[in-house]
């Protein structure tokens, strides 16, 4: 199977955000940051019972606003940070035509005159989300295949599912994934 495509900035951003959304460390950090707003509520209760109603109302409103608005701000912060990372570190990959050829023993990757060979045993998982397919490699790297660039996406998906079965690795489909 041979696939040719070009990666755009949005594909790279989606890859980074997907990896972040699956990271236990980042999920824990985001939950902790969101719950920081709840720390204002005990202060509101204390001020309420000490008859300092303006302060109680202020802390209560601040806590509720933090709990509901902070996740929206944090979502944008992640996007901005990853866009900066992409613009600084991998901007030269944007728009380059790449070719991936998967055979019985390896994956041959060609991009901009460079070639690389990856043994199939290095594949750890295959993730399919609405806009990209990720071939996850041991060591945390991924090959990104943008779905809109592939001529025969259903055929590619069938072949990748067969490959996952052959290698006994997970093939995960998340058709509803969005960055939250």
């Amino acid at each position: 199977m041979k696939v040719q495509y070009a990666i755009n900035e949005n594909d790279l951003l989606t890859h980074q955000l997907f990896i972040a959304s699956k990271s236990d460390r980042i999920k824990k950090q985001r939950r902790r940051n969101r719950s920081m707003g709840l720390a204002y509520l005990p202060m509101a209760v204390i001020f309420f019972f000490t008859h300092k109603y303006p302060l109680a109302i202020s802390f209560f409103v601040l806590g509720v606003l933090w709990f509901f608005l902070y996740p929206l701000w944090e979502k944008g912060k992640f996007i901005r940070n990853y866009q900066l990372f992409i613009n600084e570190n991998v901007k030269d990959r944007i728009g380059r035509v790449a070719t991936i050829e998967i055979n019985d023993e390896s994956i041959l990757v060609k991009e901009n005159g460079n070639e690389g060979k990856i043994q199939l045993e290095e594949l750890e998982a295959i993730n399919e989300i609405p806009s990209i397919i990720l071939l996850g490699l041991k060591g945390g790297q991924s090959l990104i295949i943008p779905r809109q660039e592939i001529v025969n996406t259903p055929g590619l998906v069938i072949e990748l599912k067969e490959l996952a079965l052959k290698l006994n690795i997970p093939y995960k489909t998340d058709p509803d994934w969005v960055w939250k």
Side-chain angles (χ1 to χ4, degrees):
M1 157 181 45
K2 191 174 188 178
V3 178
Q4 191 170 14
Y5 58 88
I7 292 179
N8 63 38
E9 184 178 352
N10 194 43
D11 298 328
L12 294 168
L13 179 62
T14 301
H15 166 254
Q16 293 293 330
L17 294 172
F18 177 76
I19 298 301
S21 74
K22 299 301 179 185
S23 166
D24 290 334
R25 182 184 61 80
I26 291 177
K27 283 193 247 182
K28 182 179 177 182
Q29 173 192 356
R30 293 184 78 198
R31 275 193 310 270
R32 185 181 61 238
N33 288 346
R34 182 176 190 180
S35 65
M36 292 289 286
L38 299 177
Y40 291 106
L41 298 180
M43 294 297 292
V45 171
I46 291 170
F47 286 126
F48 180 78
F49 286 116
T50 57
H51 305 290
K52 297 178 181 171
Y53 300 117
L55 282 173
I57 292 170
S58 298
F59 274 92
F60 178 77
V61 169
L62 188 61
V64 170
L65 287 176
W66 180 285
F67 188 77
F68 289 108
L69 295 181
Y70 181 80
L72 298 175
W73 177 83
E74 186 180 46
K75 174 183 172 182
K77 180 182 156 212
F78 269 88
I79 292 171
R80 285 187 302 278
N81 287 342
Y82 284 129
Q83 283 175 330
L84 286 173
F85 172 80
I86 290 166
N87 289 333
E88 289 178 12
N89 298 302
V90 291
K91 66 181 173 197
D92 56 333
R93 288 189 61 202
I94 297 171
R96 285 187 179 175
V97 176
T99 304
I100 293 180
E101 186 174 346
I102 302 174
N103 57 41
D104 292 337
E105 300 158 3
S106 64
I107 301 171
L108 182 63
V109 181
K110 296 179 185 178
E111 183 180 304
N112 201 33
N114 298 319
E115 285 188 19
K117 193 175 200 179
I118 302 167
Q119 297 300 317
L120 288 181
E121 294 81 34
E122 289 297 309
L123 271 178
E124 192 172 58
I126 300 173
N127 292 293
E128 180 185 353
I129 59 176
S131 62
I132 60 175
I133 298 172
L134 298 169
L135 305 179
L137 305 174
K138 293 177 181 170
Q141 295 178 326
S142 296
L143 295 174
I144 305 166
I145 303 174
R147 294 176 66 92
Q148 74 274 7
E149 292 279 328
I150 307 304
V151 176
N152 184 10
T153 304
L156 174 64
V157 168
I158 289 169
E159 289 196 39
L160 289 175
K161 285 181 179 179
E162 289 172 0
L163 180 64
L165 281 173
K166 175 184 162 188
L167 297 173
N168 197 26
I169 60 172
Y171 187 99
K172 300 173 188 169
T173 303
D174 196 351
D176 300 325
W177 181 86
V178 290
W179 173 244
K180 299 177 194 173

